[in-house]
Amino acid sequence: MNYWLLKSEPFVFSFNQLLQDGSGVWDGVRNYQARNFLRSMKEGDLGFFYHSNEGLEIVGIVEITKEAFPDPTFDGDRWSAVELIPVQKLNNPVKLSDIKQKAELKDMVLVNNTRLSVQPVTSSEWSIIMQMSGTDI
DNA sequence: GCCAACGTTGGC
DNA sequence: GCCAACGTTGGC
């Protein structure tokens, strides 16, 4: 079981939107590093849903329900997409500024490679953030 | 609005 | 294959 973090600008696609829709396709990724992470996702993996630009916080948890397939917004198999469902909204969104203050989280990709939109999260990072959010799964 | 970090493009 | 120029992302 692996953990991930997915970034979206809330005015493009928000966690609330995903909750409303019931499921979503994570497409439009045009970065090789991010694509490779998409391709290594397994059904049942969990991910944080992060709002970039506005909010700057982790707002919810998603679960991968369909492993990588060709991105429907692109002609060809160069880019990939996955399907996911919302699992839960965090009781307390975890802000980037709070993450940055935690010594245990200083190595998070989110902190060190701000531009990567799909990134892995270690299980210890996952549990620390879950604790900060006051949320149980 | 600015700027740092990173990715991509294209000339050589 | 290198590197300068440019474009984009995203935090501040």
Side-chain angles (χ1 to χ4, degrees), chain A residues 69-135:
Chain A
F69 54 91
D71 187 334
T73 67
F74 185 82
D75 188 19
D77 56 6
R78 183 165 156 206
W79 302 109
S80 297
V82 295
E83 207 172 82
L84 43 78
I85 54 169
V87 174
Q88 193 160 353
K89 200 166 182 163
L90 296 186
N91 289 335
N92 310 304
V94 179
K95 302 216 135 254
L96 177 63
S97 55
D98 294 333
I99 290 173
K100 283 188 166 172
Q101 280 170 22
K102 287 253 174 196
E104 310 95 294
L105 298 177
K106 70 171 171 40
D107 292 327
M108 270 192 82
V109 183
L110 185 66
V111 175
N112 296 300
N113 188 354
T114 53
R115 298 189 50 200
L116 189 60
S117 60
V118 179
Q119 45 184 267
V121 171
T122 67
S123 55
S124 67
E125 290 164 351
W126 181 272
S127 54
I128 292 169
I129 290 171
M130 285 306 289
Q131 228 170 8
M132 291 165 77
S133 75
T135 310

Side-chain angles (χ1 to χ4, degrees), chain A residues 8-27:
Chain A
S8 180
E9 304 184 46
F11 47 86
V12 176
F13 187 61
S14 68
F15 190 70
N16 281 335
Q17 183 69 49
L18 181 65
L19 280 171
Q20 260 179 43
D21 296 349
S23 74
V25 173
W26 204 268
D27 57 20

Side-chain angles (χ1 to χ4, degrees), chain A residues 26-98:
Chain A
W26 204 268
D27 57 20
V29 170
R30 295 292 182 269
N31 170 286
Y32 286 105
Q33 226 186 328
R35 183 203 69 180
N36 292 341
F37 287 130
L38 277 182
R39 289 186 177 175
S40 48
M41 290 179 179
K42 300 282 177 217
E43 202 175 314
D45 280 356
L46 296 177
F48 286 131
F49 195 115
Y50 176 81
H51 281 172
S52 64
N53 254 298
E54 279 177 17
L56 308 184
E57 58 193 6
I58 296 170
V59 290
I61 296 161
V62 298
E63 179 182 337
I64 306 302
T65 51
K66 190 177 174 194
E67 293 172 17
F69 54 91
D71 187 334
T73 67
F74 185 82
D75 188 19
D77 56 6
R78 183 165 156 206
W79 302 109
S80 297
V82 295
E83 207 172 82
L84 43 78
I85 54 169
V87 174
Q88 193 160 353
K89 200 166 182 163
L90 296 186
N91 289 335
N92 310 304
V94 179
K95 302 216 135 254
L96 177 63
S97 55
D98 294 333

